């Protein structure tokens, strides 16, 4: 998932123009294809708004290329799998939910969603997962050596990965996160992460000493990145910071997939430095918080916000929820990181987290995008709305789909958004 929409679309359009008519699974396993992609990413077609974007783009092109070309063991992960665990074991983390967002950005999601329906996957399922399942069935995704899922934030990844385990003939490990506050929860979770590490060590050929050394290095890198990320978060609380949420929302890919790598450190270092250099534009905009994710295909929501002088100053999924970790206690530290996430536990925990963000970022209003098929987000939206309204924050709930553009009602959404923005001016 890429931050700068214009640069991403330029790159994707160039790739589509060259390869769409002969799109096949074999193309993604071609070294010539990846050389073309790498060349296009460095061309004038790709002019990222932020220097950090170029770093993350290069990282994801490189890691995706290596996954397709089988240059290291590939571990498929869902959103909450700590990337430090995978990087520290010398494996390549691949996030198929993020791949679905890229497919949607390229305008190709309907094809693969329909393919999943042909395989009798339900239309009620999350379209991120219907898209990735369609891609997998047609052979378009890099083959995993291991599937690793966490049972939060939803059941979709666990169920999808169970099917994919049979499709690819590889193991599927489920990390069952205990509810927060349970006495033995931290040690039980740490034990599960250690078991997952042992499986990845088998794939990468690392002994116990190498495992602990690799994890210590990954956690040290994660800690360095966290320091820069905290600086970014503090600067974004200032009046009308120059980083808009429509661009920052894609930082989820870095937060989920790059912590524990040099890329994570470099990305947040560059972003913090550039924010300091650019300064702020002054307190002239409506301050809006965005909850859940955005539609990854072309639509007019953000143009509407701009017309009304509104900016996204805060997004739900781009914030760190954990503290600095101990490299000498990797499994307990990563377990604590996982347990700190606001999506682990009851809906009230998510609501309390968002209410706190609304206060810290001094928002004038909040928008909750109800993604079709996302049970955990849609079901908790009324709880979130009530918590925010108790803080005096108006809330608009929009129904739509992040991946399937056919489920996006442009006229209806625009009318409701216009009315909401007028009401909070």
């Amino acid at each position: 998932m890429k931050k700068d929409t214009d640069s991403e679309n330029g790159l994707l359009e160039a790739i589509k123009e060259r390869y769409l008519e002969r799109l096949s699974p074999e193309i993604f396993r071609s070294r010539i294809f990846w050389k073309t992609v790498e060349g296009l990413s460095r061309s004038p077609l790709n002019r990222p708004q932020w220097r950090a974007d170029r770093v993350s783009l290069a990282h994801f092109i490189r890691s995706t290329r290596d996954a397709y070309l089988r240059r290291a063991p590939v571990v498929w992960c869902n959103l909450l799998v700590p990337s430090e665990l995978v990087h520290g074991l010398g494996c390549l983390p691949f996030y198929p939910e993020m791949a679905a967002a890229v497919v949607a950005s390229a305008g190709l999601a309907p094809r693969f969603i329909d393919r999943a329906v042909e395989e009798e996957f339900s239309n009620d399922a999350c379209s991120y997962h219907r898209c990735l399942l369609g891609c997998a069935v047609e052979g378009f995704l890099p083959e995993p050596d291991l599937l690793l899922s966490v049972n939060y934030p939803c059941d979709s990844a666990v169920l999808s990965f169970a099917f994919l385990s049979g499709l690819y003939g590889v193991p599927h490990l489920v990390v069952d996160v205990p509810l927060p506050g349970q006495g033995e929860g931290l040690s039980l979770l740490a034990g599960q992460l250690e078991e997952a590490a042992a499986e990845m060590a088998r794939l990468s050929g690392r002994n116990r000493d190498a495992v602990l050394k690799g994890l210590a290095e990954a956690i040290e890198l994660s800690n360095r990145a966290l320091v820069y990320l905290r600086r970014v978060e503090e600067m974004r609380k200032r009046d009308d910071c120059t980083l808009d949420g429509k661009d920052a929302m894609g930082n989820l890919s870095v937060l989920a997939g790059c912590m524990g790598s040099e890329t994570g450190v470099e990305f947040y270092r560059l972003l913090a430095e550039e924010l300091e250099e650019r300064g702020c534009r002054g307190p002239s905009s409506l301050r809006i918080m965005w909850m859940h994710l955005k539609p990854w295909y072309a639509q007019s929501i953000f143009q509407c916000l701009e017309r009304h002088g509104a900016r996204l100053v805060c997004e739900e999924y781009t914030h760190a929820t954990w503290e600095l970790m101990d490299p000498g206690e990797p499994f307990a530290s990563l377990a604590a990181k996982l347990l700190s996430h606001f999506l682990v536990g009851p809906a009230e925990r998510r609501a309390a987290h968002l209410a706190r963000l609304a206060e810290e970022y001094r928002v004038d209003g909040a928008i909750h995008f109800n993604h079709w098929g996302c049970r955990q987000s849609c079901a908790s939206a009324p709880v979130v709305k009530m918590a925010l309204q108790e803080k005096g924050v108006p809330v608009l709930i929009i129904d739509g789909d992040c991946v399937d553009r056919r489920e996006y009602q442009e006229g209806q959404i625009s009318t409701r958004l216009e009315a909401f923005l007028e009401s909070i001016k």
Side-chain angles (χ1 to χ4, degrees):
M1 288 188 288
K2 189 68 179 64
K3 279 64 65 187
D4 188 276
T5 305
D6 292 338
S7 64
E8 179 192 65
N9 288 344
L11 179 59
L12 289 172
E13 287 302 320
I15 294 170
K16 286 167 61 178
E17 184 177 339
R18 295 193 183 199
Y19 291 101
L20 184 58
E21 290 186 359
R22 50 195 180 94
L23 187 65
S24 70
E26 289 72 27
I27 286 177
F28 295 95
R29 292 158 180 85
S30 162
R31 287 176 172 80
I32 294 175
F33 170 78
W34 289 107
K35 282 190 176 295
T36 303
V37 172
E38 290 165 0
L40 289 170
S41 73
R42 294 189 292 269
S43 78
L45 286 167
N46 178 48
R47 293 185 291 270
Q49 182 179 355
W50 300 88
R51 293 194 299 267
D53 289 349
R54 191 174 291 276
V55 171
S56 61
L57 178 62
H59 169 86
F60 285 112
I61 288 175
R62 183 172 61 251
S63 63
T64 306
R65 174 203 67 195
D66 290 349
Y68 277 105
L69 299 182
R70 313 292 298 164
R71 291 179 174 173
V74 178
V75 179
W76 281 26
C77 309
N78 70 323
L79 180 63
L80 294 192
V81 171
S83 56
E84 298 92 341
L85 187 67
V86 185
H87 288 300
L89 270 294
C91 297
L92 289 169
F94 179 78
Y95 292 82
E97 292 157 323
M98 296 181 195
V102 174
V103 172
S105 298
L108 299 174
R111 163 185 171 174
F112 295 109
I113 289 171
D114 291 346
R115 184 69 178 88
V117 172
E118 289 174 6
E119 293 292 320
E120 299 184 352
F121 290 104
S122 173
N123 275 321
D124 290 338
C126 170
S127 58
Y128 281 98
H129 286 268
R130 281 181 286 145
C131 181
L132 73 87
L133 287 165
C135 289
V137 167
E138 289 204 3
F140 277 93
L141 298 180
E143 294 86 353
D145 296 289
L146 175 67
L147 298 154
L148 180 59
S149 60
V150 171
N151 65 322
Y152 284 99
C154 64
D155 294 330
S156 293
V158 175
L159 296 172
S160 296
F161 281 22
F163 168 81
L164 293 166
S165 175
L167 180 69
Y168 290 112
V170 299
H172 172 212
L173 301 182
V174 180
V175 177
D176 191 358
V177 182
L179 287 171
Q182 293 188 357
E184 300 296 320
L186 183 68
S187 60
L188 289 172
L189 181 55
Q192 293 181 69
L193 295 177
E194 190 166 3
E195 291 175 8
E199 182 66 22
M200 284 185 277
R202 182 186 65 79
L203 293 172
S204 60
R206 296 194 173 190
N207 60 29
R208 176 72 177 178
D209 289 341
V211 166
L212 294 177
K213 180 182 178 183
L215 287 172
E217 291 172 352
I219 287 175
E220 287 171 356
L221 289 169
S222 184
N223 285 342
R224 288 170 56 197
L226 179 60
V227 172
Y228 290 120
L229 172 55
R230 294 293 191 199
R231 282 173 54 188
V232 170
E233 290 178 348
E234 287 304 311
M235 282 185 282
R236 292 197 65 201
K237 294 175 185 176
R238 304 186 311 198
D239 287 337
D240 209 6
C241 176
T242 50
L243 178 59
D244 192 282
K246 72 178 185 298
D247 303 314
M249 218 174 296
N251 291 357
L252 173 61
S253 61
V254 179
L255 189 66
C258 296
M259 302 305 280
S261 70
E262 292 283 357
T263 296
V265 179
E266 184 68 0
F267 176 86
Y268 285 114
R269 181 187 69 80
L270 285 172
L271 189 55
E273 290 177 357
E274 194 165 5
L275 277 174
E276 289 173 345
E277 292 168 7
R278 293 191 185 190
C280 297
R281 296 175 180 169
S284 59
S285 299
L286 285 172
R287 300 173 64 84
I288 304 295
M289 178 168 70
W290 186 277
M291 296 173 287
H292 199 60
L293 294 168
K294 68 177 181 179
W296 298 108
Y297 44 82
Q299 35 66 37
S300 64
I301 288 176
F302 302 114
Q303 290 90 334
C304 181
L305 290 172
E306 290 173 3
R307 286 198 306 271
H308 285 264
R311 288 168 58 82
L312 300 184
V313 298
C314 177
E315 321 79 39
E316 178 173 2
Y317 288 137
T318 57
H319 302 271
T321 60
W322 70 98
E323 303 300 327
L324 293 173
M325 295 182 283
D326 181 358
E329 295 289 341
F331 301 112
S333 292
L334 292 173
K337 176 185 176 181
L338 233 176
L339 285 168
S340 74
H341 204 282
F342 61 90
L343 291 178
V344 173
E348 289 75 12
R349 190 181 190 195
R350 178 189 181 218
H353 169 77
L354 290 168
R356 178 181 60 80
L357 287 180
E359 285 190 312
E360 291 181 0
Y361 286 81
R362 298 171 287 111
V363 303
D364 300 303
I367 298 171
H368 191 292
F369 193 82
N370 265 4
H371 168 62
W372 172 254
C374 186
R375 269 74 168 170
Q376 62 85 17
S377 181
C378 295
S380 64
V383 180
V384 169
K385 183 175 183 177
M386 184 179 299
L388 289 173
Q389 288 179 332
E390 288 175 356
K391 299 288 185 181
V393 178
V395 178
L396 172 66
I397 297 178
I398 296 175
D399 294 320
D401 196 299
C402 292
V403 177
D404 191 347
R405 64 176 182 266
R406 297 170 297 185
E407 300 298 330
Y408 182 83
Q409 305 299 321
E410 182 77 61
Q412 182 184 69
I413 288 174
S414 295
T415 299
R416 295 189 63 223
L417 182 58
E418 294 266 1
F420 175 73
L421 294 172
E422 286 290 343
S423 72
I424 63 175
K425 281 185 177 179

